[in-house]
Amino acid sequence: QVQLVESGGGLVQAGGSLRLSCAASGRTFSSYHMGWFRQAPGKEREFVIVISRSGGVTYYTDSVKGRFTISRDNAKNTVYLQMNSLKPEDTAVYYCAAGTRLGYSTGRQDVYDYWGQGTQVTVSS
């Protein structure tokens, strides 16, 4: 079993930055690829960005290209999401997820085994 806890969300003005963290329990953190997803009000949950087990490969959705960066520290069992140049349309609950199955590079959600509770990010105009 793996438990994931997100933190770092909050209210920020458009153009500002936030850094989200996801802390994982257990001692096999490096066995999982780690992804971030988000769900805006009235919309389905969508893929944002993912990082490979070693941290050497990342994939992301076009809407965050050049603005969001994912990183991980396997020694601390933590994955980070640095969000810059935030826009009102980035407003959502952000979730981290851990998975071991192949296919994560496509942005699919069904390859993940564990999910966090989410953290709210609100970007004002």
Side-chain angles (χ1 to χ4, degrees):
Q1 280 288 329
V2 175
Q3 290 185 320
L4 306 173
V5 180
E6 303 96 332
S7 62
L11 175 65
V12 65
Q13 287 186 295
S17 298
L18 282 175
R19 188 193 192 199
L20 306 184
S21 298
C22 176
S25 66
R27 301 179 182 180
T28 58
F29 180 73
S30 62
S31 298
Y32 298 91
H33 51 263
M34 298 294 299
W36 286 95
F37 296 78
R38 66 186 181 186
Q39 186 168 22
K43 296 185 178 181
E44 298 290 327
R45 186 167 61 191
E46 66 173 349
F47 167 75
V48 178
I49 196 166
V50 63
I51 189 168
S52 63
R53 298 170 182 83
S54 66
V57 181
T58 62
Y59 301 92
Y60 49 83
T61 190
D62 287 343
S63 64
V64 306
K65 181 167 54 180
R67 301 188 299 120
F68 289 13
T69 302
I70 189 171
S71 61
R72 67 190 296 163
D73 187 339
N74 287 348
K76 296 182 178 180
N77 281 17
T78 303
V79 63
Y80 305 95
L81 178 61
Q82 179 66 47
M83 304 184 294
N84 299 325
S85 301
L86 283 163
K87 305 174 181 179
E89 50 263 45
D90 294 318
T91 295
V93 176
Y94 283 72
Y95 301 88
C96 69
T100 59
R101 295 171 58 192
L102 298 177
Y104 63 87
S105 63
T106 67
R108 295 176 61 176
Q109 300 184 42
D110 59 357
V111 303
Y112 294 89
D113 303 305
Y114 305 100
W115 294 81
Q117 84 291 341
T119 186
Q120 177 71 49
V121 172
T122 302
V123 184
S124 62
S125 301

